[in-house]
Amino acid sequence: MIPQQVTFVLVYLIFSKAKMLQSYWPQILPFIANAFGIFLLRQYFLQIPEEIIEAARMDNASEPKIIFSIMIPMAKTALLTIGLLSFISLWNSYFWPLIMTTKNTYRPLAVGVAMLKNVDSAIPWHMLMAGNLFLTCPILIAYAFANKQIRKAFVYSGIK
Amino acid sequence: MTKQPVPNKKGNAVHTLLGWLKGYVLIAPAIILLCIFTIYPIFWQIQSSLYDGSLLSKKRNFVGLQNFANLFANPDFGQTVGNTIFYSVGVVIITIVLSTLAAVWLNGEAQKRLNGLTLAAIFTPHIISLVSVTTIFLWLLDPQIGAINYLLKSVGLPTCPFLASSKTSMFALVLMMVWKGTGYYTLLTVAALQGVPKDIYEAASIDDTPGWRVFFQITLPMISPTLFFSTIVCTINSFQVFEPINLMTLGGPANSTNTLVYQIYSDAFKYLKLGQASAEGVVLLVFVLVLTVIYFAFLGKKVPLSMRKGEGHYGKSKYRADSALYPQRGEHRLQAAGDFHCSLSVPVDGLHRVQTL
């Protein structure tokens, strides 16, 4: 439960020492391991009856086959939940990419839209609003089509 | 259901070792990444807070607790911590109270159709990027062209400078973040309310318990684990507030909206004071750790004592629970706890035996 806002300076130094700041990696690597995702999937795997797995072992199914044809299909809901939550939070994120990027080449949309404001002293409202439309549209469209799933995913995020 | 050990056909030591290794190989990538990007930076941060030097310097000198001494001697840092606490307390109290009230209302039967729509609507701000939220609020709160002041003026009320004054700036940020966060906590609380066994309410209605007592003596205790979780998570999140400050106020006016994370960011990346930024990071770490420890210390006591396994009184009703009630934990915990029986003995019509899942 230690948030990234506590240690970001040192994580920046890690990437700086590894000469990775001029790449997308600082925005990707820290988010690959997702403790909440591991927890949720484990909960799902624990619910799969042991008999099914044993039956597969009796039929000489290999371990990877058991994982890919039994465990993962049965945890589809959990995978969808993790996918939705990760997508929404990463698409919206501003703090992390702001710190981990020094060049526009690697900056995501949220940072770019926020930078529209800094062009000169007067705020170019028309540009800013147009940029924000691009930023919010994908999320709102996804929410319009899958609002039940998205809300369910966020309820799961609260049962840590 | 207890896990049966898998019968091992060959039963030799090599096979067992492979089976044991397999698990570790599968979790290794995740654990390695967590160690590099979560565990290691924490220790490095603590070490780094004991050295001077800038973000660019090659060699840094050990200065002991000097960085911390500088911080606590600086009244601006005191104000920054005060701002962060003011912001967090404000956001947490208003958000939790509003979301609890909204959830209780949305859980009612009377306006069922409308409830889904309302919940969908008040949840929307939570999934919108803070970049967009702050843009909209910059426009709404603008002292000259802002819609809120326009409305205030048109009904003859005095206008408010919002972000332009050090007296109101933090309060404006609190209101914005309450608007953004309430939907999420309402959603969690609605889910918790749906997990409260209906029988308890039936027992209360047989006893003719007045509405406010039902709320304070049944509803609130039953959802208290979720409220507790919400409060802790909301507090931890509020302590890390950064985006609204960087996007709206840059810590001003007159340091009135400077918060811990924004201070760390400006010290590290604007003034390149690595040692001082690390020391501030350690202060934030202590705050977060204390909250986390409180959370886990109470985790075991999630359910009010009267609802635990065994016999007891619940308001006027007597009850006997064969296993502990975990109404807030959703289906997962219930299944893990095995069959879920709850017997509720009600003085008026004798013993109900109910099974809830």
Side-chain angles (χ1 to χ4, degrees):
Chain A
M1 272 178 90
I2 297 300
Q4 285 168 324
Q5 275 84 343
V6 176
T7 51
F8 65 94
V9 181
L10 283 305
V11 179
Y12 173 87
L13 281 181
I14 292 177
F15 283 115
S16 147
K17 291 213 164 134
K19 304 241 179 308
M20 281 161 96
L21 281 178
Q22 303 303 329
S23 74
Y24 290 112
W25 290 113
Q27 296 176 59
I28 298 173
L29 281 177
F31 299 96
I32 293 179
N34 177 342
F36 165 71
I38 297 172
F39 170 81
L40 190 64
L41 277 172
R42 182 174 172 271
Q43 293 278 7
Y44 265 79
F45 288 153
L46 284 178
Q47 284 177 23
I48 297 172
E50 200 69 27
E51 291 81 13
I52 295 180
I53 298 160
E54 263 166 55
R57 286 217 175 97
M58 292 292 180
D59 293 340
N60 277 331
S62 64
E63 294 293 305
K65 192 168 166 69
I66 293 176
I67 292 177
F68 287 107
S69 11
I70 299 176
M71 307 297 267
I72 288 182
M74 289 188 95
K76 247 191 276 177
T77 325
L79 289 171
L80 182 74
T81 301
I82 298 163
L84 279 173
L85 290 174
S86 304
F87 176 76
I88 292 173
S89 88
L90 293 175
W91 175 269
N92 287 339
S93 70
Y94 167 77
F95 173 72
W96 198 256
L98 174 78
I99 283 154
M100 296 298 163
T101 52
T102 47
K103 274 194 183 152
N104 281 347
T105 326
Y106 304 109
R107 286 192 173 122
L109 189 59
V111 179
V113 170
M115 284 171 83
L116 287 174
K117 212 168 46 193
N118 303 338
V119 184
D120 47 49
S121 52
I123 297 177
W125 286 109
H126 55 296
M127 300 270 287
L128 205 51
M129 293 297 177
N132 277 307
L133 189 66
F134 274 105
L135 186 59
T136 45
C137 254
I139 300 282
L140 286 182
I141 290 171
Y143 189 54
F145 282 104
N147 77 76
K148 283 240 171 79
Q149 281 91 331
I150 289 177
R151 273 188 281 150
K152 219 173 159 194
F154 276 93
V155 170
Y156 275 123
S157 78
I159 322 179
K160 267 174 209 170
Chain B
M1 193 179 73
T2 52
K3 235 179 148 183
Q4 296 291 321
V6 181
N8 199 331
K9 265 188 254 168
K10 289 178 188 164
N12 57 30
V14 177
H15 203 96
T16 328
L17 184 72
L18 278 178
W20 180 80
L21 263 179
K22 190 181 64 194
Y24 285 91
V25 170
L26 288 177
I27 58 165
I31 295 294
I32 290 169
L33 283 172
L34 281 176
C35 285
I36 296 176
F37 295 115
T38 309
I39 315 286
Y40 171 62
I42 292 174
F43 290 104
W44 193 14
Q45 167 137 320
I46 295 169
Q47 189 219 12
S48 167
S49 70
L50 305 175
Y51 287 77
D52 69 354
S54 87
L55 204 61
L56 307 171
S57 53
K58 288 253 156 62
K59 198 177 171 298
R60 302 174 60 202
N61 301 313
F62 184 79
V63 292
L65 296 172
Q66 190 58 45
N67 286 326
F68 292 95
N70 292 346
L71 279 186
F72 295 126
N74 184 352
D76 278 354
F77 184 71
Q79 199 195 352
T80 300
V81 174
N83 285 342
T84 314
I85 293 174
F86 175 84
Y87 168 86
S88 303
V89 170
V91 168
V92 170
I93 291 178
I94 304 177
T95 305
I96 299 300
V97 169
L98 276 185
S99 64
T100 308
L101 294 178
V104 171
W105 184 71
L106 286 173
N107 199 43
E109 298 288 320
Q111 7 37 337
K112 233 178 178 168
R113 272 251 177 93
L114 216 64
N115 284 349
L117 209 68
T118 319
L119 191 58
I122 63 171
F123 179 65
T124 313
H126 184 70
I127 54 170
I128 299 294
S129 173
L130 266 168
V131 173
S132 307
V133 171
T134 52
T135 308
I136 293 292
F137 271 81
L138 263 184
W139 178 73
L140 283 175
L141 298 173
D142 192 289
Q144 269 89 47
I145 61 162
I148 296 182
N149 269 346
Y150 177 81
L151 277 178
L152 286 176
K153 230 184 279 174
S154 64
V155 293
L157 286 169
T159 57
C160 176
F162 296 114
L163 298 170
S165 156
S166 59
K167 285 199 185 103
T168 49
S169 52
M170 196 48 121
F171 193 65
L173 291 186
V174 168
L175 284 187
M176 182 186 80
M177 294 308 273
V178 166
W179 174 81
K180 182 166 162 58
T182 300
Y184 174 61
Y185 297 104
T186 307
L187 188 72
L188 293 187
T189 315
V190 166
L193 284 170
Q194 280 162 359
V196 178
K198 297 273 179 292
D199 316 281
I200 296 178
Y201 287 116
E202 272 165 34
S205 74
I206 291 166
D207 288 349
D208 274 332
T209 318
W212 61 270
R213 277 196 65 189
V214 172
F215 177 75
F216 282 105
Q217 299 198 326
I218 297 179
T219 308
L220 267 190
M222 289 302 274
I223 60 168
S224 63
T226 299
L227 292 185
F228 180 65
F229 169 87
S230 300
T231 309
I232 295 285
V233 169
C234 192
T235 316
I236 292 180
N237 287 341
S238 305
F239 257 94
Q240 309 155 32
V241 64
F242 169 82
E243 285 94 339
I245 291 124
N246 192 48
L247 289 163
M248 295 173 89
T249 65
L250 298 173
N255 208 33
S256 63
T257 55
N258 203 353
T259 60
L260 264 174
V261 175
Y262 188 73
Q263 181 81 48
I264 298 173
Y265 168 78
S266 18
D267 277 341
F269 294 109
K270 279 187 195 153
Y271 310 118
L272 306 176
K273 292 187 210 154
L274 181 56
Q276 194 176 326
S278 306
E280 286 156 1
V282 172
V283 173
L284 179 60
L285 180 70
V286 170
F287 275 118
V288 173
L289 275 183
V290 167
L291 287 169
T292 312
V293 166
I294 293 175
Y295 178 61
F296 280 107
F298 281 91
L299 201 67
K301 299 176 188 159
K302 277 195 147 254
V303 179
L305 279 175
S306 56
M307 293 311 290
R308 291 183 153 204
K309 190 173 177 179
E311 293 189 349
H313 290 269
Y314 204 81
K316 268 189 194 168
S317 315
K318 265 195 201 155
Y319 79 94
R320 204 184 85 237
D322 296 339
S323 84
L325 287 161
Y326 286 103
Q328 78 292 346
R329 287 252 117 187
E331 55 213 325
H332 290 305
R333 184 55 80 87
L334 293 187
Q335 283 179 6
D339 284 341
F340 182 72
H341 292 284
C342 159
S343 25
L344 208 61
S345 75
V346 180
V348 181
D349 69 346
L351 191 87
H352 294 273
R353 189 167 187 87
V354 288
Q355 186 172 349
T356 330
L357 185 72

mmCIF file of all heavy atoms in Angstrom, chain B residues 237-254:
data_model
loop_
_atom_site.group_PDB
_atom_site.id
_atom_site.type_symbol
_atom_site.label_atom_id
_atom_site.label_comp_id
_atom_site.label_asym_id
_atom_site.label_seq_id
_atom_site.Cartn_x
_atom_site.Cartn_y
_atom_site.Cartn_z
ATOM 1 N N ASN B 237 -4.998 8.686 -0.020
ATOM 2 C CA ASN B 237 -5.022 9.341 -1.331
ATOM 3 C C ASN B 237 -4.920 10.854 -1.197
ATOM 4 O O ASN B 237 -4.252 11.505 -1.995
ATOM 5 C CB ASN B 237 -6.304 8.984 -2.091
ATOM 6 C CG ASN B 237 -6.257 7.564 -2.589
ATOM 7 O OD1 ASN B 237 -5.190 6.966 -2.681
ATOM 8 N ND2 ASN B 237 -7.412 7.011 -2.902
ATOM 9 N N SER B 238 -5.620 11.416 -0.198
ATOM 10 C CA SER B 238 -5.600 12.868 -0.058
ATOM 11 C C SER B 238 -4.213 13.361 0.320
ATOM 12 O O SER B 238 -3.808 14.438 -0.100
ATOM 13 C CB SER B 238 -6.599 13.314 1.010
ATOM 14 O OG SER B 238 -7.866 12.817 0.703
ATOM 15 N N PHE B 239 -3.495 12.574 1.100
ATOM 16 C CA PHE B 239 -2.156 12.994 1.495
ATOM 17 C C PHE B 239 -1.220 13.110 0.305
ATOM 18 O O PHE B 239 -0.226 13.816 0.363
ATOM 19 C CB PHE B 239 -1.573 12.013 2.523
ATOM 20 C CG PHE B 239 -1.625 12.546 3.906
ATOM 21 C CD1 PHE B 239 -2.686 12.247 4.729
ATOM 22 C CD2 PHE B 239 -0.643 13.393 4.366
ATOM 23 C CE1 PHE B 239 -2.759 12.764 6.006
ATOM 24 C CE2 PHE B 239 -0.706 13.921 5.636
ATOM 25 C CZ PHE B 239 -1.773 13.607 6.455
ATOM 26 N N GLN B 240 -1.538 12.394 -0.777
ATOM 27 C CA GLN B 240 -0.646 12.428 -1.937
ATOM 28 C C GLN B 240 -1.096 13.415 -2.979
ATOM 29 O O GLN B 240 -0.686 13.324 -4.125
ATOM 30 C CB GLN B 240 -0.609 11.068 -2.608
ATOM 31 C CG GLN B 240 -0.332 9.933 -1.706
ATOM 32 C CD GLN B 240 -0.901 8.694 -2.321
ATOM 33 O OE1 GLN B 240 -0.939 8.565 -3.531
ATOM 34 N NE2 GLN B 240 -1.346 7.785 -1.493
ATOM 35 N N VAL B 241 -1.982 14.327 -2.636
ATOM 36 C CA VAL B 241 -2.540 15.211 -3.665
ATOM 37 C C VAL B 241 -1.423 15.995 -4.344
ATOM 38 O O VAL B 241 -0.511 16.507 -3.707
ATOM 39 C CB VAL B 241 -3.593 16.148 -3.050
ATOM 40 C CG1 VAL B 241 -2.979 17.086 -2.034
ATOM 41 C CG2 VAL B 241 -4.293 16.934 -4.135
ATOM 42 N N PHE B 242 -1.475 16.004 -5.675
ATOM 43 C CA PHE B 242 -0.450 16.704 -6.448
ATOM 44 C C PHE B 242 -1.047 17.405 -7.670
ATOM 45 O O PHE B 242 -0.840 18.608 -7.869
ATOM 46 C CB PHE B 242 0.633 15.719 -6.903
ATOM 47 C CG PHE B 242 1.586 16.296 -7.906
ATOM 48 C CD1 PHE B 242 2.657 17.077 -7.498
ATOM 49 C CD2 PHE B 242 1.402 16.099 -9.273
ATOM 50 C CE1 PHE B 242 3.522 17.633 -8.425
ATOM 51 C CE2 PHE B 242 2.266 16.655 -10.196
ATOM 52 C CZ PHE B 242 3.327 17.421 -9.764
ATOM 53 N N GLU B 243 -1.829 16.665 -8.446
ATOM 54 C CA GLU B 243 -2.298 17.173 -9.738
ATOM 55 C C GLU B 243 -3.035 18.503 -9.629
ATOM 56 O O GLU B 243 -2.706 19.437 -10.379
ATOM 57 C CB GLU B 243 -3.178 16.133 -10.441
ATOM 58 C CG GLU B 243 -2.413 14.984 -11.039
ATOM 59 C CD GLU B 243 -2.319 13.800 -10.108
ATOM 60 O OE1 GLU B 243 -2.480 14.005 -8.878
ATOM 61 O OE2 GLU B 243 -2.081 12.690 -10.582
ATOM 62 N N PRO B 244 -4.042 18.632 -8.741
ATOM 63 C CA PRO B 244 -4.781 19.905 -8.714
ATOM 64 C C PRO B 244 -3.860 21.078 -8.419
ATOM 65 O O PRO B 244 -4.060 22.170 -8.950
ATOM 66 C CB PRO B 244 -5.788 19.722 -7.573
ATOM 67 C CG PRO B 244 -5.840 18.287 -7.321
ATOM 68 C CD PRO B 244 -4.549 17.691 -7.744
ATOM 69 N N ILE B 245 -2.854 20.850 -7.584
ATOM 70 C CA ILE B 245 -1.972 21.955 -7.213
ATOM 71 C C ILE B 245 -1.077 22.327 -8.380
ATOM 72 O O ILE B 245 -0.930 23.498 -8.731
ATOM 73 C CB ILE B 245 -1.162 21.574 -5.960
ATOM 74 C CG1 ILE B 245 -2.120 21.519 -4.776
ATOM 75 C CG2 ILE B 245 -0.063 22.564 -5.678
ATOM 76 C CD1 ILE B 245 -2.135 20.255 -4.062
ATOM 77 N N ASN B 246 -0.514 21.316 -9.034
ATOM 78 C CA ASN B 246 0.366 21.603 -10.160
ATOM 79 C C ASN B 246 -0.402 22.194 -11.331
ATOM 80 O O ASN B 246 0.134 22.991 -12.096
ATOM 81 C CB ASN B 246 1.080 20.320 -10.586
ATOM 82 C CG ASN B 246 2.219 20.593 -11.537
ATOM 83 O OD1 ASN B 246 3.038 21.468 -11.278
ATOM 84 N ND2 ASN B 246 2.267 19.879 -12.639
ATOM 85 N N LEU B 247 -1.671 21.803 -11.473
ATOM 86 C CA LEU B 247 -2.430 22.250 -12.639
ATOM 87 C C LEU B 247 -3.218 23.530 -12.374
ATOM 88 O O LEU B 247 -3.651 24.195 -13.305
ATOM 89 C CB LEU B 247 -3.407 21.156 -13.078
ATOM 90 C CG LEU B 247 -2.769 19.921 -13.710
ATOM 91 C CD1 LEU B 247 -3.742 18.763 -13.717
ATOM 92 C CD2 LEU B 247 -2.302 20.233 -15.113
ATOM 93 N N MET B 248 -3.462 23.871 -11.110
ATOM 94 C CA MET B 248 -4.337 25.012 -10.846
ATOM 95 C C MET B 248 -3.662 26.151 -10.093
ATOM 96 O O MET B 248 -3.869 27.303 -10.420
ATOM 97 C CB MET B 248 -5.577 24.557 -10.060
ATOM 98 C CG MET B 248 -6.443 23.613 -10.844
ATOM 99 S SD MET B 248 -7.769 22.931 -9.870
ATOM 100 C CE MET B 248 -9.054 24.149 -10.109
ATOM 101 N N THR B 249 -2.882 25.838 -9.068
ATOM 102 C CA THR B 249 -2.417 26.931 -8.201
ATOM 103 C C THR B 249 -0.904 27.035 -8.084
ATOM 104 O O THR B 249 -0.406 28.045 -7.591
ATOM 105 C CB THR B 249 -2.969 26.756 -6.777
ATOM 106 O OG1 THR B 249 -2.404 25.573 -6.225
ATOM 107 C CG2 THR B 249 -4.465 26.663 -6.760
ATOM 108 N N LEU B 250 -0.158 26.009 -8.452
ATOM 109 C CA LEU B 250 1.302 25.973 -8.267
ATOM 110 C C LEU B 250 1.695 26.296 -6.812
ATOM 111 O O LEU B 250 2.708 26.939 -6.569
ATOM 112 C CB LEU B 250 1.985 26.930 -9.239
ATOM 113 C CG LEU B 250 1.772 26.599 -10.725
ATOM 114 C CD1 LEU B 250 2.341 27.720 -11.593
ATOM 115 C CD2 LEU B 250 2.401 25.280 -11.092
ATOM 116 N N GLY B 251 0.884 25.864 -5.882
ATOM 117 C CA GLY B 251 1.210 26.055 -4.470
ATOM 118 C C GLY B 251 0.748 27.387 -3.896
ATOM 119 O O GLY B 251 0.700 27.561 -2.698
ATOM 120 N N GLY B 252 0.404 28.312 -4.749
ATOM 121 C CA GLY B 252 0.037 29.640 -4.275
ATOM 122 C C GLY B 252 -1.445 29.783 -4.062
ATOM 123 O O GLY B 252 -2.149 28.787 -4.115
ATOM 124 N N PRO B 253 -1.996 30.936 -3.848
ATOM 125 C CA PRO B 253 -1.257 32.157 -3.550
ATOM 126 C C PRO B 253 -0.660 32.148 -2.138
ATOM 127 O O PRO B 253 -1.296 31.642 -1.211
ATOM 128 C CB PRO B 253 -2.328 33.248 -3.670
ATOM 129 C CG PRO B 253 -3.630 32.529 -3.635
ATOM 130 C CD PRO B 253 -3.407 31.117 -3.987
ATOM 131 N N ALA B 254 0.536 32.683 -2.031
ATOM 132 C CA ALA B 254 1.255 32.791 -0.750
ATOM 133 C C ALA B 254 1.370 31.450 -0.040
ATOM 134 O O ALA B 254 1.092 31.329 1.145
ATOM 135 C CB ALA B 254 0.587 33.824 0.163
#
